[in-house]
Amino acid sequence: MANRSCIIRLSRYKNALNRLKTLNFVRVFSDNLADAAGVTAAQVRKDFSLFGITGNRRGGYKVDELADQLNKILGKEQLQEFVLIGVGNMGRALLHYPGFERSGISIAAGFEIDPVKYNPDGKPPVLPLENLAEFVKSRNITLAIIAVPDYAAQQVLGLVLAAGIKGVLNFAPICLKAPNGSIVNNINLETELENLIYFVNAHENGN
Amino acid sequence: MANRSCIIRLSRYKNALNRLKTLNFVRVFSDNLADAAGVTAAQVRKDFSLFGITGNRRGGYKVDELADQLNKILGKEQLQEFVLIGVGNMGRALLHYPGFERSGISIAAGFEIDPVKYNPDGKPPVLPLENLAEFVKSRNITLAIIAVPDYAAQQVLGLVLAAGIKGVLNFAPICLKAPNGSIVNNINLETELENLIYFVNAHENGN
């Protein structure tokens, strides 16, 4: 099975292909995709071969065909609906993030425990957390973003999984663990910044 | 030199240690840290040995000492100041993100091209982008977060590096490449969600 890094590279190839499509490119070579994704051409071919995608040494890949194949692998043939739990500063920014819609990702609703933040007529609506299970069941949604404070995150993860969610992207500043049968990916801003600080310092010190 | 994954794990060990400190733990074993970070105890010991950190097989690690060592490696002995470029929805959420301050990370100022968003008296202030170079020089700041729209990101990266910034965390939905002598880490929300979609689907299909 492909690992996380491989799937991230496939997303990058797919994004590069979409840009090439707008430029009316018909064919593309592994070198072009390698440049766009910041990897080697050999890596591109290796990633593709894992999914049985083969090019033509002289002709490269057909842009349309390759984009379709990557979209299929990445589950982008249909609109993917998410729910968002926690409509604080970060949650609100995510609720209105312009990058999602154009990439076939849609936040169906936000959920809150604070009645002041309810907004059933919003686009997307913000609903009471107690309605979560009913909502995801009726819409057949399996994906959630958690953007609650750290102290609430573990409890909210339990609620979300009990509601039938299978995959979670966690923005709360705490590393949540996935119970069996679910996937939890953590985005920890503090960790990302610490990472940056370490490598800038290492670079400055000539390591 | 340590790689990105190793440094991310060090951040997690450090966060776990901080929680143990609040519980008045004096000693900790690699098994405990492994559980907290979701890795094996062997991995914890391997990561530590890379930085010359050794425990005592029977006594484990002293929590205070280990926390100090990790803080030093992660550059957390002093407050790390960042600037933020782009105060839209996402930028505003980052400007007021509660997780930073407590972890020794501070956003010194936000910068904007839209005069409507200027707020020189804010905490932190939002200033005109043209003041960036002077500001980072006077404060000796080397780190920046970019949260501008995708079409502006590459140009803003150029401005930021020209101003003397060495390390950038990019939130714009485009993969920015680091010129020589600089570090650019990309957080791409679309890519993160695609990753989640892939692994949930793979899991559902029993792969």
Side-chain angles (χ1 to χ4, degrees), chain A residues 2-42:
Chain A
N3 63 20
R4 177 175 158 83
S5 306
C6 171
I7 299 302
I8 288 178
R9 287 192 299 271
L10 290 193
S11 286
R12 289 190 180 160
Y13 306 148
K14 185 262 305 162
N15 291 342
L17 283 171
N18 285 343
R19 286 197 294 274
L20 293 174
K21 266 172 133 176
T22 65
L23 297 169
N24 297 317
F25 270 54
V26 175
R27 292 184 168 276
V28 66
F29 292 85
S30 50
D31 300 66
N32 309 127
L33 292 172
D35 289 344
V39 298
T40 65

Side-chain angles (χ1 to χ4, degrees), chain B residues 84-88 110-115 117-118 126-130:
Chain B
L84 172 87
I85 325 296
V87 187
F111 290 87
E112 253 292 333
I113 51 164
D114 180 358
K117 293 179 182 160
Y118 296 169
V126 178
L127 307 171
L129 186 56
E130 65 210 57

Side-chain angles (χ1 to χ4, degrees), chain B:
Chain B
M1 186 167 140
N3 64 20
R4 176 176 159 81
S5 305
C6 171
I7 299 302
I8 288 178
R9 288 192 299 271
L10 291 193
S11 286
R12 289 190 181 161
Y13 306 148
K14 186 258 309 160
N15 291 343
L17 283 172
N18 285 342
R19 285 198 295 274
L20 293 174
K21 266 173 132 176
T22 65
L23 297 169
N24 298 318
F25 270 54
V26 175
R27 293 184 166 277
V28 66
F29 292 85
S30 49
D31 300 66
N32 309 127
L33 292 172
D35 289 343
V39 298
T40 65
Q43 180 73 66
V44 174
R45 291 190 295 269
K46 194 176 156 199
D47 289 336
F48 285 174
S49 73
L50 198 59
F51 293 95
I53 299 174
T54 50
N56 173 313
R57 203 197 309 191
R58 291 184 56 189
Y61 303 89
K62 287 182 192 164
V63 169
D64 276 344
E65 218 170 80
L66 185 56
D68 286 349
Q69 285 171 299
L70 293 182
N71 280 333
K72 193 172 172 190
I73 293 166
L74 295 170
K76 311 219 54 176
E77 287 173 307
Q78 69 240 46
L79 185 75
Q80 296 283 349
E81 285 195 316
F82 278 75
V83 287
L84 172 87
I85 325 296
V87 187
N89 279 323
M90 182 58 71
R92 201 174 310 113
L94 294 170
L95 212 52
H96 301 289
Y97 187 68
F100 291 154
E101 201 76 32
R102 68 162 187 232
S103 52
I105 293 166
S106 163
I107 297 186
F111 290 87
E112 253 292 333
I113 51 164
D114 180 358
V116 171
K117 293 179 182 160
Y118 296 169
N119 181 13
D121 301 321
K123 290 180 186 229
V126 178
L127 307 171
L129 186 56
E130 65 210 57
N131 296 3
L132 176 69
E134 198 192 323
F135 185 89
V136 301
K137 191 170 285 180
S138 72
R139 297 278 283 257
N140 205 18
I141 292 173
T142 58
L143 303 161
I145 300 172
I146 291 181
V148 300
D150 55 355
Y151 56 82
Q154 193 70 50
Q155 196 188 350
V156 164
L157 177 64
L159 280 174
V160 160
L161 296 178
I165 293 294
K166 303 294 182 198
V168 171
L169 189 65
N170 172 43
F171 272 87
I174 183 171
C175 185
L176 295 179
K177 274 179 250 176
N180 275 344
S182 64
I183 317 274
V184 178
N185 287 347
N186 294 285
I187 294 194
N188 190 309
L189 299 179
E190 190 196 334
T191 301
E192 290 291 341
L193 292 177
E194 284 173 354
N195 203 273
L196 189 64
I197 292 165
Y198 172 81
F199 285 106
V200 167
N201 287 343
H203 203 276
E204 299 280 283
N205 297 331
N207 292 335

Side-chain angles (χ1 to χ4, degrees), chain A residues 88-109:
Chain A
N89 279 323
M90 182 57 72
R92 201 174 310 112
L94 294 170
L95 212 52
H96 301 290
Y97 187 70
F100 291 153
E101 202 74 33
R102 68 160 188 235
S103 51
I105 293 166
S106 163
I107 297 187

Side-chain angles (χ1 to χ4, degrees), chain A residues 126-174:
Chain A
V126 178
L127 307 171
L129 186 55
E130 66 210 55
N131 296 2
L132 177 69
E134 196 192 324
F135 186 89
V136 301
K137 192 170 283 181
S138 72
R139 297 278 283 257
N140 204 17
I141 292 173
T142 57
L143 303 160
I145 300 172
I146 291 182
V148 300
D150 54 356
Y151 57 81
Q154 193 70 49
Q155 196 189 350
V156 164
L157 177 64
L159 280 175
V160 159
L161 297 179
I165 295 293
K166 302 294 181 196
V168 170
L169 189 65
N170 172 42
F171 272 87
I174 183 170

